[in-house]
């Protein structure tokens, strides 16, 4: 009977070892599947972020395209506005004043804003020097041509007269 008992114990031990080995294999396989699932989840999040960035970039490009198209047209209109304003300054005419005001309102609605430069420090990023005159060094004395921004970007620089020190 002890022989049978020993054989039974051997079978049980072998069976237990097989079960442990199978359990370890299953555990290792489960860990591999979890790792793959984590990899897929990470890839999914990266792809979604890339897609959202692409949508944002395309939206910004589309807006930029419209602004660029408007920029060219608006640049063609600015000399007309300059002429209207100049005519209004030389002749007190209600019609000219209304027309210039409507013109300015229309381009403002498109995102155009005039630069205010008189009395400010000369800024080469937004101004062009037409000439210099005796006055406070580097300060804009007079605006010869109005400058404009289009959506916070320079549309046309202001043409200015800048002060310089008097020579001794």
């Amino acid at each position: 009977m002890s022989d049978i008992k020993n054989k039974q114990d051997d079978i049980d031990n072998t069976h237990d070892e097989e079960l442990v080995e199978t359990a370890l294999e299953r555990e290792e396989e489960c860990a591999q599947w979890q790792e793959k699932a984590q990899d897929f989840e990470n890839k999914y999040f990266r792809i979604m972020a890339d897609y959202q960035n692409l949508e944002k970039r395309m939206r910004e490009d589309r807006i930029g395209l419209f602004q660029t198209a408007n920029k060219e047209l608006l640049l063609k209109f600015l000399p007309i506005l300059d002429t209207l304003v100049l005519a209004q300054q030389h002749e007190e005419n209600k019609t000219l004043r209304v027309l210039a005001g409507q013109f300015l309102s229309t381009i403002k609605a498109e995102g155009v804003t005039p630069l205010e430069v008189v009395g400010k420090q000369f800024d080469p990023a937004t101004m062009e020097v037409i000439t210099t005159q005796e006055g406070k060094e580097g300060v804009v004395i007079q605006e010869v041509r109005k400058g404009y921004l289009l959506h916070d970007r320079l549309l046309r620089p202001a043409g200015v007269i800048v002060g310089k020190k008097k020579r001794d």
Side-chain angles (χ1 to χ4, degrees):
M1 184 119 142
S2 84
D3 241 4
I4 294 175
K5 179 86 173 143
N6 284 342
K7 283 188 180 187
Q8 185 64 38
D9 286 344
D10 285 346
I11 290 172
D12 286 344
N13 286 342
T14 304
H15 184 62
D16 288 346
E17 287 173 9
E18 287 175 1
L19 287 176
V20 167
E21 189 175 313
T22 302
L24 289 174
E25 286 173 3
R26 297 280 190 255
E27 198 174 292
E28 187 177 308
E29 191 176 310
C30 184
Q32 288 174 350
W33 282 109
Q34 285 177 333
E35 189 176 315
K36 283 183 180 182
Q38 185 66 45
D39 286 346
F40 283 127
E41 185 179 43
N42 290 340
K43 287 178 183 176
Y44 168 78
F45 287 131
R46 277 194 298 272
I47 288 170
M48 286 305 295
D50 287 345
Y51 179 74
Q52 289 170 348
N53 289 338
L54 176 64
E55 278 185 327
K56 181 181 176 186
R57 193 169 42 250
M58 288 177 63
R59 194 170 35 252
E60 289 170 353
D61 287 349
R62 203 173 14 250
I63 290 168
L65 179 64
F66 287 124
Q67 288 177 349
T68 302
N70 285 348
K71 178 181 178 181
E72 297 304 316
L73 182 61
L74 290 167
L75 279 170
K76 290 177 183 178
F77 285 145
L78 290 180
I80 299 167
L81 178 60
D82 292 340
T83 303
L84 283 172
V85 170
L86 190 61
Q88 177 191 344
Q89 289 172 353
H90 289 287
E91 185 175 320
E92 190 57 40
N93 183 320
K94 184 178 178 181
T95 305
L96 281 175
R97 187 172 56 249
V98 169
L99 189 56
Q102 285 178 331
F103 203 106
L104 192 55
S105 295
T106 301
I107 65 171
K108 279 184 178 179
E110 295 301 317
V112 176
T113 53
L115 292 170
E116 299 300 327
V117 296
V118 176
K120 295 189 177 173
Q121 193 68 28
F122 173 73
D123 178 7
T126 59
M127 303 172 202
E128 289 179 344
V129 175
I130 303 298
T131 188
T132 57
Q133 282 183 0
E134 186 178 312
K136 191 171 180 184
E137 182 74 24
V139 175
V140 175
I141 297 171
Q142 183 182 348
E143 183 178 52
V144 177
R145 185 187 69 226
K146 195 79 173 152
Y148 295 93
L149 296 175
L150 175 61
H151 301 290
D152 298 325
R153 287 190 161 159
L154 187 65
L155 179 61
R156 182 178 79 179
V160 297
I161 297 173
V162 179
K164 68 176 181 177
K165 288 182 181 178
K166 181 180 177 181
R167 288 191 173 181
D168 293 328

